Amino acid sequence: MWDKNDPVKHSLRELGSELSHRQDIKDMSKERIRRPLRRDTKIAVSMAIVLALAMVVAAVNLFTHTFPSGTTGAHLTTACSTLTMGPPSAPVGPGTVRFNCGATTPGFVADGTGPVTPTFTLGGTLYTGITIVASASIGTVCTGGTALTSGTALTPPAGSYDYCASYLGSGSLLGFTLTWSQ
């Protein structure tokens, strides 16, 4: 039936074996070769995952600030730099005297939005204190008001103001300066 020494059959068998071997090699080249990850690659991948998680956690909102509205510019304005002095309330003190920018013009106007600080010195005069009062005509007697302390900030409510200086004794009421800052 079959002759083991037949060269044709032997050649066919070798060709079949060769073809089968080549087909196996071709199939192996199509397969993806899986290699184990190296230790440093595993560490790098682990660190990348931890970093990504940390970034997600860091993106959580902690709180929000809401900024209020405000104004820029001076909190106090004036129509004059040299004040007009009204008549003293008494010829011999104690008494008061009103200062403004003349007749019915206020000494200054406050916008009521922020602290301002007066700086002044009354020393060497008959003056004992100074207050700010609602603006009125220059001859109006001073009553009430907010006492000023040199170097101490205050926030006058929005409005027009005059100064009232209190004095004690008789004689010359010497001039002095008052500077506002904010």
Side-chain angles (χ1 to χ4, degrees), residues 14-94:
E14 282 183 15
L15 283 174
S17 177
E18 179 71 23
L19 183 62
S20 177
H21 179 70
R22 286 189 182 196
Q23 188 64 33
D24 288 343
I25 291 174
K26 188 175 181 182
D27 289 341
M28 279 188 357
S29 67
K30 289 182 182 178
E31 283 185 30
R32 183 170 175 214
I33 298 173
R34 296 189 182 252
R35 294 183 189 147
L37 291 176
R38 292 187 323 205
R39 182 174 181 261
D40 53 344
T41 305
K42 288 179 185 177
I43 292 172
V45 169
S46 298
M47 289 177 60
I49 290 170
V50 169
L51 181 61
L53 289 173
M55 290 175 63
V56 168
V57 171
V60 174
N61 289 338
L62 298 177
F63 55 85
T64 301
H65 280 128
T66 302
F67 290 82
S69 59
T71 59
T72 60
H75 298 302
L76 300 180
T77 56
T78 186
C80 65
S81 60
T82 302
L83 297 166
T84 299
M85 181 179 179
S89 64
V92 176

Side-chain angles (χ1 to χ4, degrees), residues 120-142:
F120 58 92
T121 302
L122 300 176
T125 69
L126 298 175
Y127 294 115
T128 57
I130 188 163
T131 61
I132 56 173
V133 295
S135 185
S137 66
I138 192 73
T140 305
V141 176
C142 296

Side-chain angles (χ1 to χ4, degrees), residues 109-124:
V109 177
D111 67 6
T113 61
V116 289
T117 304
T119 305
F120 58 92
T121 302
L122 300 176

Side-chain angles (χ1 to χ4, degrees), residues 76 116-121 150-151 163 177-181:
L76 300 180
V116 289
T117 304
T119 305
F120 58 92
T121 302
S150 184
Y163 298 98
T177 60
L178 184 146
T179 302
W180 288 101
S181 59

